[in-house]
Amino acid sequence: MQRIKSRIVNLNLIIIGLLLIAANPKDSKYINEKLEIYPLNIGNSWTYQEYIYIEDSTLLKGDEIIIKVLNDTLINNNIYFLEDYDNILPYTLSINKENGYYSTETDFIEGNEQLLFKYPCKVGDRWRNKIVDGNTNYKSTTVVKALNKKITVPYGTMDCILYESVSKNTIGPRVTLYILYQHYLKPGLGIVKTITSHKNKINGKYKIKRYMELKTATIK
């Protein structure tokens, strides 16, 4: 008799749970919805505050940087989104694929897309990008360093995925610049903070040159 009562109670709890989900379909949809690491919808925008270190290590407050998703376009049966980086040409074409966020220049060349942020991802994931043109030989390696890095910026405090990207830029026969990018992203929101550091020797020490923090965002 006790077992029968227990089963009835459990069944009632299950029914109540199903009724709650049915009464609140928005929450149910949100729970099952896959977030994009960098949300691409027309009208999305992000405003960042830039800070710059000059040669004597003085920190200067730079300009506000605004990134907007302006439009979309169909290329090879894929929808790409046109991003405007602070009203500076050229624009960027971006797309979210099953394994993450890709970007390319507007003079689209199939296969020349760069995987910037792998998602879903795990700590230790690693990939490479390469761009070669008449003036620059650019190579980069990106590694997922952390999945829940707590970051505080003007927009708020949140847990972010940390992507570290090291690029080697060979400019001409003698000039090589190593750049370390540390990108903190929150799925469903995008880039929260970026730190850029430089060095000009392979065994040198990176120095922070610039960073930017999210101030406001409009996500549709």
Side-chain angles (χ1 to χ4, degrees), residues 6-18:
S6 177
R7 289 178 181 176
I8 292 173
V9 171
N10 289 337
L11 180 59
N12 287 335
L13 289 175
I14 292 172
I15 292 172
I16 291 171
L18 292 173

Side-chain angles (χ1 to χ4, degrees), residues 121-137:
C121 61
K122 62 182 184 298
V123 173
D125 279 350
R126 178 186 299 264
W127 64 96
R128 294 181 178 180
N129 286 316
K130 181 178 181 180
I131 300 175
V132 178
D133 59 29
N135 301 311
T136 303
N137 185 337

